[in-house]
């Protein structure tokens, strides 16, 4: 029908009522057609329009992505529907997000969005994991906004919050630059004058950020952009003078001016512009000696000036050490700057000694007497007309007059003397510590702590830790942590101090101290925790099967008991941060421990269990950084090696016991245990291993799933009537087990038969019988086939799939946390009164037929001899330690 077509009111009502019913149909295709049919029946101006309400309901709750896409294509943007459309830019499906951005580009004016909404759209769209979504934001949304603003990029930046979100503005500019050739970008840069500079009076937040973004983008193009960069950026010496002139124009506010919001805003704007101009130093060509020296002189002078804003200090020192290439020169120059800032030259009054003052007065009296006598003699010579003698006397009188005036002036004005005076105010200390921190960040870890840095540490860093001002203490802790990375002995000396700070100080300072400790462990290994540097790492003394290693360590170490207690206490402290009430501290501890495990510094199934529980814990639901960090860590760690999967295998049953026995008041009672079990089954898949080899001797040995199946069967036999047996039975059905006449299968079939005789639950029996029939059926059907053929073919295909679909494994594992809440699962758990508190899983009848069958293939077990030998000295197993913690707490 045409746009101006008309229909009868009765027919309209009948169609409308019928479509409102069909949008709730159980078939997605029917719902899609109903959505399309109602597109012309909606009234965006009516706040209670049934069609709009139906659209919004589908947009938020429909499980089919094609239905959501159909609604997005039909719904009319309005004040009511716009927030829901914006919400679809965060949809789980790529196609839905892509269409949402297209709708916003085509139907929504930029003025209809708030600044926060614009920034959020660009931030999410330009950082989306899907390349197709990024392309839509770059080529459609940004270009649509520019068309509405008549192509004025500075006007677009003005409509974004460039001062608070410069990263988003930079990403948007880079996306825009990528669509234009370099020569055209240089021609469009109309803000610069003949000197290739923006006049100081015309500088603003937008054009300074645009200038910096354009220069950095052109410089990133390498040789291709050198010629263009010369057209938009002057020589280093000219730019240094330009930068110096603007930085000196930043006013120093008094206490009264700080109360005036307009003046504060003006100074903040100038500081932002200054930051962009300082960052532009990185684009300058400092190969020429004269220009480099002038840039260094300007940066050094601005750092010494007392009125330089604190927000510019880190950028200035960063660019200073970047221009200097040699570490020794960096240390020397920064040490000189710190000395000038900390101990400036000031003029002070020299106290006058009483004896000196008395002598001066006596000398002045003598001069006055001689002056009187000389004047009298002059009068006598004039009287006798002895003009030659009179001329000599007149010269003496002049000398006595000047001497008298000099003595009188010295008596009136005190003597001034220039001396160096040490400043210990918080602003000065923070400025010096910031410069020291930036220097240490740029230094090579092989440089070590020389005499100059050691002097700075003794006179500035260590006293700063005891300072009363929190910001000074925090920066001093950061500097101390950076210093300990340069020297192992220094790290051991100050480790206890950092651990004490991590427990007792303010939250921000505790986090900085914890970061410093974790960085030491990552860089130097567990030997940082021992007093003897020549001793090998302590992994042998903490493995569960290391009795012989413990005996060997007892012979080699002088004081093994004391070292063991020290290590236990420190690691108990680090693992205890996982239960901290401070989210940032808890997140930092979890991330650091995950890094230690991923790098092979720690090996602990109990610690891994705690990280999994922390990931699923509803308390951390709002901690997106923690969830994202652990969500990336688990699959990468599990699929890296067979030994890592064995660590997950060891942690499976303790994790399940913790969840089953969680009291009703615990947040863990809300976790979907079936989803947690599914995660463990997925992470221990033998087919998920990366770089698995068929040529090793242990290829035909048990896989992780084979040994895990035996563990689960034994767990079921411990209490066959337990309500959690259903979850274990489902886990067995999802394992990748080998098929054929193998010793493993025979043992597993014996266990499964015994389990079937003990278990009475029909759902569990059905799943177990399917698994048994699968294992037996494969062996009968393939009785004449060579079992090795199956063993050799399966992993090859899986290996290819793993290489191609590694990203998919990551994505699928990350999604599990969204399905991990009890409310999102069809299975519910109820508490029953037993000696040990467990949860009963109520599964509907429809789920009986949904038992996933095991994949009939076997996979390799990669050799671990070389890896075990390489990691022997750097691994530590926390199993004994955390078991000890659990016993003490219970």
């Amino acid at each position: 029908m045409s746009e101006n077509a008309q229909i009868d009111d009765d027919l309209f009502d009948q169609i409308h009522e019928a479509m409102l019913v069909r949008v709730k149909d159980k078939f997605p295709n029917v719902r899609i057609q109903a959505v399309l049919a109602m597109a012309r029946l909606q009234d965006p101006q009516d706040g209670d329009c049934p069609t709009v309400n139906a659209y919004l309901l589908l947009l938020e709750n429909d499980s089919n992505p094609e239905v959501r896409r159909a609604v997005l294509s039909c719904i009319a943007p309005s004040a009511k529907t716009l927030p829901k459309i914006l919400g679809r830019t965060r949809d789980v499906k790529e196609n839905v997000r892509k269409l949402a951005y297209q709708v916003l580009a085509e139907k929504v004016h930029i003025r209809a969005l708030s600044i926060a909404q614009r920034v959020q759209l660009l931030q999410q769209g330009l950082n989306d994991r899907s390349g197709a979504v990024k392309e839509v934001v770059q080529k459609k949304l940004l270009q649509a906004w520019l068309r509405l603003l008549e192509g004025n990029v500075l006007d677009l930046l003005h409509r974004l919050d460039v001062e608070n979100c410069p990263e988003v503005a930079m990403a948007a500019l880079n996306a825009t630059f990528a669509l234009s050739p370099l020569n055209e970008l240089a021609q469009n840069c109309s803000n610069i004058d003949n000197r290739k500079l923006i006049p100081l009076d015309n500088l603003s937040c937008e054009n300074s950020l645009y200038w910096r973004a354009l220069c950095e983008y052109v410089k990133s193009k390498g040789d291709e952009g050198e010629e263009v960069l010369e057209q938009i950026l002057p020589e280093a010496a000219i730019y240094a003078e330009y930068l110096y002139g603007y930085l000196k124009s930043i006013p120093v506010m008094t206490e009264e001016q700080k109360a005036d919001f307009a003046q504060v805003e003006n100074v903040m704007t100038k500081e932002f512009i200054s930051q962009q101009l300082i960052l532009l130093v990185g684009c300058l060509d400092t190969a020429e000696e004269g220009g480099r020296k002038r840039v260094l002189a300007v940066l050094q002078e601005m750092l010494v000036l007392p009125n330089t804003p604190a927000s510019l200090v880190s950028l200035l020192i960063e660019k200073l050490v970047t221009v200097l290439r040699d570490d020794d020169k960096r240390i020397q120059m920064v040490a000189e700057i710190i000395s000038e800032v900390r101990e400036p030259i000031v003029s002070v009054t020299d106290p006058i000694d009483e004896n000196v003052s008395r002598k001066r007065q006596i000398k002045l009296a003598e001069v006055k007497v001689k002056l009187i006598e000389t004047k009298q003699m002059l009068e006598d010579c004039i009287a006798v007309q002895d003009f030659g003698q009179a001329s000599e006397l007149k010269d003496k009188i002049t000398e006595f007059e000047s001497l008298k005036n000099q003595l009188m002036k010295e008596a009136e004005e005190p003597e001034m003397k220039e001396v160096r005076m040490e400043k210990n105010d918080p602003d000065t200390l923070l400025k010096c510590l910031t410069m020291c921190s930036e220097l240490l960040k740029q230094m090579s870890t092989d440089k070590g702590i020389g005499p100059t840095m050691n002097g700075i540490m003794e006179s500035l860093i260590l006293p700063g830790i005891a300072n009363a001002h929190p910001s000074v203490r925090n920066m001093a802790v950061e500097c101390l942590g950076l210093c300990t990375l340069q020297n192992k002995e220094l790290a051991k000396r100050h480790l206890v101090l950092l651990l004490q700070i991590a427990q007792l100080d303010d939250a921000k300072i505790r986090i900085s101290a914890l970061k410093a400790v974790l960085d030491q462990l990552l860089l130097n290994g567990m030997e940082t925790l021992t007093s003897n540097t020549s001793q090998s790492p302590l992994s042998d003394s903490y493995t569960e099967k290391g009795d012989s290693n413990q005996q060997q360590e007892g012979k080699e170490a002088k004081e093994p008991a004391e070292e063991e207690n020290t290590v236990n206490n420190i690691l108990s402290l680090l693992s205890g941060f996982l239960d901290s009430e401070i989210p940032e501290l808890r997140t930092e501890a979890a991330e650091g421990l995950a890094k230690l495990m991923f790098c092979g510094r720690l090996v602990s199934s109990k610690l891994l269990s705690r990280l999994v529980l922390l990931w699923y814990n509803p308390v951390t639901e709002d901690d997106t950084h923690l969830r994202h960090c652990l969500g990336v860590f688990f699959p990468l760690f599990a699929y890296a090696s067979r030994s890592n999967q064995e660590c997950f295998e060891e942690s499976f049953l303790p994790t399940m016991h913790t969840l089953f026995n969680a009291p009703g008041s615990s947040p863990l009672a809300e976790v979907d245990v079936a989803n947690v079990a599914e995660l463990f089954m997925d992470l221990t898949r033998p087919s998920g291993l990366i770089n698995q080899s068929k040529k090793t001797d242990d290829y035909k040995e048990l896989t992780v799933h084979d040994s895990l199946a035996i563990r689960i069967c034994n767990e079921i036999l411990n209490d066959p009537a337990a309500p959690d047996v259903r979850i274990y039975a489902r886990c067995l059905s999802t394992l990748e087990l080998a098929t054929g006449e193998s010793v493993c299968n025979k043992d597993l079939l014996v266990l499964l038969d015994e389990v079937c005789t003990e278990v009475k639950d029909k759902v569990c029996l059905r799943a177990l019988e399917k698994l048994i029939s699968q294992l037996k059926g494969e062996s009968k059907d393939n009785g004449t086939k060579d079992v090795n053929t199956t063993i050799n073919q399966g992993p090859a295909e899986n290996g290819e799939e793993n290489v191609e679909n590694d990203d998919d494994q990551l994505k699928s594992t990350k999604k599990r946390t969204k399905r991990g809440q009890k409310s999102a699962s069809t299975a519910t758990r109820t508490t029953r009164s037993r000696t040990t508190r467990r949860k009963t899983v109520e599964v509907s009848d429809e789920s009986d037929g949904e038992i996933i069958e095991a994949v009939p293939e076997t996979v390799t077990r990669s050799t671990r001899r070389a890896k075990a030998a390489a990691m022997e000295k750097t691994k530590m197993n926390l199993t004994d330690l955390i078991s000890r913690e659990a016993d003490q707490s219970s």
Side-chain angles (χ1 to χ4, degrees):
M1 297 177 66
S2 63
E3 293 183 1
N4 297 327
Q6 297 181 356
I7 60 175
D8 185 69
D9 291 342
D10 294 336
L11 179 59
F12 176 90
D13 294 336
Q14 291 177 5
I15 296 175
H16 198 187
E17 292 175 0
M19 292 303 101
L20 288 175
V21 174
R22 289 302 97 199
V23 293
K24 300 178 182 178
D25 196 276
K26 64 179 181 179
F27 295 105
N29 289 335
V30 176
R31 298 199 299 272
I32 292 174
Q33 295 302 321
V35 167
L36 298 176
M38 289 198 304
R40 300 178 64 178
L41 305 181
Q42 59 181 323
D43 184 7
Q45 298 179 353
D46 185 4
D48 296 327
C49 177
T51 302
V52 173
N53 293 335
Y55 277 171
L56 295 179
L57 184 65
L58 292 173
L59 201 59
E60 287 191 306
N61 301 312
D62 200 290
S63 60
N64 190 284
E66 294 303 321
V67 177
R68 300 197 297 272
R69 293 184 75 249
V71 175
L72 280 174
S73 63
C74 295
I75 193 169
S78 63
K80 182 178 181 180
T81 60
L82 183 58
K84 308 302 181 182
I85 298 175
L86 293 173
R88 288 306 96 199
T89 60
R90 300 184 294 275
D91 197 278
V92 295
K93 293 297 182 180
E94 170 187 336
N95 291 334
V96 180
R97 298 197 303 274
K98 179 180 176 181
L99 182 59
Y101 282 109
Q102 291 178 353
V103 170
L104 290 171
E106 297 170 0
K107 298 182 180 180
V108 180
H109 198 285
I110 186 174
R111 294 179 180 175
L113 301 170
S114 65
I115 293 179
Q117 290 173 338
R118 298 168 198 159
V119 171
Q120 187 179 22
L121 282 175
L122 293 178
Q123 184 177 16
Q124 293 174 352
L126 295 174
N127 294 304
D128 197 282
R129 62 176 178 267
S130 170
V133 176
K134 292 181 182 178
E135 185 178 359
V136 169
V137 176
Q138 178 184 15
K139 295 184 178 180
K140 291 192 175 182
L141 183 64
L142 275 174
Q143 299 307 312
W145 287 358
L146 285 174
R147 283 194 300 270
L148 294 171
L149 300 174
E150 299 178 354
N152 192 335
V153 181
L154 295 180
D155 195 8
L156 175 61
L157 293 177
H158 183 68
R159 296 177 185 275
L160 301 175
D161 191 4
V162 295
E163 293 188 50
N164 293 324
C165 302
E167 299 84 6
V168 177
M170 288 287 293
L173 288 174
N174 289 331
T176 305
F177 294 155
L179 301 178
S180 303
L182 294 179
N183 293 329
E184 183 179 341
L185 292 175
Q187 295 174 1
N188 293 337
C189 188
S190 58
N191 295 317
I192 59 177
D193 54 15
N194 296 330
R195 301 176 301 161
K196 305 173 187 176
L197 297 169
I198 300 177
L200 295 179
D201 297 336
N202 297 337
L203 277 172
S204 65
C205 296
E206 290 77 18
N207 58 23
S208 61
L209 180 68
Y210 178 83
W211 191 20
R212 170 207 160 193
L214 179 59
C215 292
E216 290 181 354
Y217 176 79
V218 173
K219 187 177 178 63
S220 67
K221 296 301 179 180
D223 298 337
E224 180 185 358
E226 285 187 3
E227 183 178 353
V228 179
L229 188 62
E230 293 177 357
Q231 301 176 15
I232 58 177
L233 199 62
E235 296 178 356
I238 298 175
Y239 185 81
E241 296 296 336
Y242 173 78
L243 175 63
Y244 182 73
Y246 188 81
L247 292 180
K248 291 202 70 175
S249 67
I250 301 177
V252 180
M253 292 190 299
T254 62
E255 294 297 330
E256 296 180 357
Q257 291 175 337
K258 290 181 180 179
D260 188 355
F261 180 76
Q263 295 191 15
V264 173
E265 186 178 8
N266 181 43
V267 172
M268 292 177 63
T269 301
K270 285 183 173 292
E271 289 183 7
F272 178 83
I273 296 173
S274 300
Q275 291 174 2
Q276 308 311 310
L277 297 180
I278 295 171
L279 290 171
L280 261 175
V281 173
C283 299
L284 295 175
D285 183 10
T286 55
E288 194 267 324
E289 184 69 18
R292 183 172 67 254
K293 285 185 177 180
R294 185 55 191 156
V295 170
L296 290 174
V298 168
L299 294 175
Q300 187 174 3
E301 185 172 354
M302 292 309 304
L303 285 168
V304 173
L305 287 178
N307 60 342
T308 301
S311 60
L312 304 181
V313 173
S314 60
L315 289 177
L316 287 169
I317 198 67
E318 178 185 350
K319 295 305 174 186
L320 177 70
V321 297
T322 303
V323 174
L324 290 172
R325 303 290 182 181
D326 185 60
D327 279 343
D328 292 330
K329 292 182 179 179
R330 290 173 175 176
I331 295 172
Q332 185 65 29
M333 182 169 287
V334 174
E336 292 176 358
I337 297 173
I338 291 176
S339 177
E340 290 290 334
V341 174
R342 183 84 185 279
E343 299 179 351
I345 298 176
V346 294
S347 299
V348 296
T349 303
D350 192 11
I352 301 175
D353 191 4
E354 294 183 358
N355 295 329
V356 175
S357 177
R358 188 178 300 108
K359 289 179 181 180
R360 186 180 295 141
Q361 292 177 0
I362 294 172
K363 188 175 182 180
L364 179 60
E366 292 177 355
V367 170
K368 289 181 178 180
V369 170
K370 290 181 180 180
L371 181 61
I372 296 173
E373 292 177 351
T374 306
K375 287 182 178 180
Q376 185 63 40
M377 292 173 62
L378 177 61
E379 292 177 358
D380 295 341
C381 291
I382 293 174
V384 297
Q385 297 184 355
D386 188 359
F387 297 107
Q389 183 68 20
S391 177
E392 295 178 1
L393 293 172
K394 189 175 182 180
D395 293 338
K396 287 184 178 181
I397 291 173
T398 304
E399 292 178 3
F400 288 139
E401 288 285 352
S402 62
L403 183 58
K404 184 185 74 170
N405 294 333
Q406 182 179 354
L407 292 173
M408 293 178 65
K409 186 177 181 180
E410 289 178 357
E412 294 176 356
E413 295 182 0
E415 184 178 355
M416 303 298 294
K417 184 170 63 172
E418 291 185 349
V419 295
R420 289 191 175 273
M421 182 174 292
E422 186 177 7
K423 298 173 64 177
N424 290 315
D425 58 287
D427 293 337
T428 302
L429 292 176
L430 185 60
K431 184 177 182 179
C432 295
L433 289 169
T434 303
M435 290 189 284
C436 183
S437 174
E438 293 297 330
L439 171 63
L440 290 168
K441 289 177 183 178
Q442 298 293 332
M443 283 175 54
S444 172
T445 54
D446 300 331
K447 181 63 180 176
I449 300 295
T452 305
M453 283 304 305
N454 189 52
I456 293 176
M457 189 176 66
E458 295 294 335
S459 62
L460 179 65
I461 297 176
L462 293 179
I465 293 179
N467 194 278
H469 203 275
S471 59
V472 175
R473 291 203 308 277
N474 183 55
M475 189 57 66
V477 169
E478 289 185 10
C479 291
L480 180 60
L482 292 170
C483 287
T484 55
L485 297 179
Q486 302 285 337
N487 188 287
K488 290 184 180 180
E489 292 298 329
L490 189 66
K492 294 179 179 181
R493 192 185 314 154
H494 297 290
L495 179 63
V496 176
L497 174 61
L498 291 173
L499 289 171
Q500 289 177 348
I501 296 172
Q503 298 177 78
L504 303 176
D505 218 315
D506 295 342
K508 187 176 181 180
I509 305 174
R510 294 175 65 187
I511 294 172
S512 299
L514 180 60
K515 286 181 180 180
V517 173
L518 293 172
D519 288 342
Q520 291 179 29
L521 298 179
L522 283 170
L523 181 64
N524 301 321
M526 292 303 150
E527 63 182 21
T528 306
L529 305 180
T530 62
S531 59
N532 188 2
T533 57
S534 62
Q535 184 184 354
S536 61
L538 300 178
S539 59
D540 296 338
S541 63
Y542 286 88
T543 53
E544 295 179 356
K545 301 178 181 180
D547 296 335
S548 60
N549 293 331
Q550 289 179 356
Q551 295 175 1
Q552 182 179 1
E553 184 188 28
K555 295 177 182 180
E556 296 177 355
K558 296 181 180 180
E559 298 177 351
E562 294 182 2
E563 292 181 354
E564 181 180 356
N565 292 334
T566 302
V567 173
N568 288 348
N569 293 334
I570 294 175
L571 294 179
S572 299
L573 173 65
L574 294 178
S575 59
F577 286 124
L578 296 176
D579 300 325
S580 175
E581 296 180 357
I582 304 174
E584 295 81 4
L585 191 63
R586 181 178 60 223
T587 300
E588 188 62 37
E591 183 177 357
L593 292 173
K595 288 178 181 178
L596 289 172
M597 295 189 68
F598 187 77
C599 295
R601 300 296 191 185
L602 292 178
V603 178
S604 172
S605 59
K606 298 292 181 65
L607 180 59
L608 195 60
S609 173
R610 293 188 65 177
L611 292 178
V612 172
L613 293 173
L614 187 65
W615 192 43
Y616 275 99
N617 198 323
V619 174
T620 64
E621 184 176 3
D622 296 331
D623 196 344
T624 55
H625 181 75
L626 174 64
R627 290 286 181 99
H628 176 72
C629 173
L630 294 179
V632 173
F633 163 71
F634 289 141
L636 288 178
F637 179 73
Y639 300 142
S641 68
R642 163 72 183 264
S643 59
N644 293 345
Q645 286 192 334
E646 290 178 348
C647 193
F648 274 101
E649 175 195 346
E650 293 288 336
S651 63
F652 171 66
L653 289 178
T655 304
M656 301 302 289
H657 291 163
T658 302
L659 293 174
F660 286 135
N661 298 329
S665 59
S666 172
L668 294 177
E670 303 177 14
V671 177
D672 181 10
V673 185
N675 183 258
V676 179
E678 182 185 356
L679 173 68
F680 274 96
M681 298 303 104
D682 182 70
L683 293 177
T684 53
R685 284 186 299 108
S687 60
L689 283 174
I690 301 174
N691 298 327
Q692 46 186 338
S693 173
K694 303 181 187 179
K695 299 180 181 180
T696 56
D697 296 335
D698 54 357
Y699 176 77
K700 298 180 183 180
E701 295 181 6
L702 291 175
T703 64
V704 176
H705 271 194
D706 291 335
S707 56
L708 187 59
I710 296 174
R711 285 176 179 268
I712 295 175
C713 289
N714 289 326
E715 181 66 20
I716 294 176
L717 290 174
N718 287 338
D719 191 358
D724 47 83
V725 170
R726 284 192 177 186
I727 294 180
Y728 290 137
R730 183 164 184 173
C731 290
L732 288 173
S733 67
T734 59
L735 294 175
E736 294 180 1
L737 301 175
T739 57
E741 298 291 342
S742 62
V743 178
C744 170
N745 278 358
K746 292 180 181 179
D747 295 340
L748 182 58
L749 286 172
V750 171
L751 274 175
L752 289 174
D753 290 337
E754 185 177 355
V755 169
C756 289
T757 58
E758 297 291 337
V759 174
K760 305 302 180 183
D761 187 84
K762 294 182 179 180
V763 177
C764 297
L765 287 174
R766 195 174 305 157
L768 295 173
E769 289 171 358
K770 282 188 177 182
L771 180 59
I772 293 173
S773 62
Q774 174 190 333
L775 295 176
K776 290 183 178 180
E778 288 290 336
S779 61
K780 291 179 181 179
D781 295 340
N782 301 330
T784 60
K785 294 183 181 180
D786 188 2
V787 177
N788 293 332
T789 303
T790 305
I791 296 177
N792 290 334
Q793 290 178 355
E797 298 175 357
N798 293 334
E800 295 175 357
E801 293 175 359
N802 291 334
V803 174
E804 296 175 358
N805 301 330
D806 183 55
D807 292 338
D808 295 337
Q809 293 173 354
L810 281 175
K811 294 177 184 177
S812 63
T813 306
K814 291 178 185 177
K815 293 177 184 176
R816 299 185 189 280
T817 186
K818 298 180 180 179
R819 304 197 307 267
Q821 301 300 324
K822 181 178 178 181
S823 58
S825 175
T826 57
T828 58
R829 291 173 282 115
T830 57
T831 305
R832 293 186 180 181
S833 56
R834 297 176 52 193
T835 55
T836 59
R837 189 180 182 95
R838 295 179 179 268
K839 303 293 183 294
T840 303
V841 181
E842 300 176 356
V843 183
S844 61
D845 295 337
E846 296 178 359
S847 66
D848 294 346
E850 295 179 355
I851 302 298
I852 302 176
E853 297 182 0
V855 180
E857 60 182 7
T858 53
V859 289
T860 177
R861 175 185 176 182
S862 303
T863 180
R864 292 179 289 130
R865 296 171 185 171
K867 297 178 183 177
M871 302 303 295
E872 186 80 10
K873 297 182 179 181
T874 56
K875 285 187 177 180
M876 170 171 289
N877 196 309
L878 290 178
T879 303
D880 296 339
L881 169 63
I882 299 181
S883 298
R884 190 179 309 164
E885 284 185 279
D887 296 338
Q888 293 176 357
S889 61
S890 60

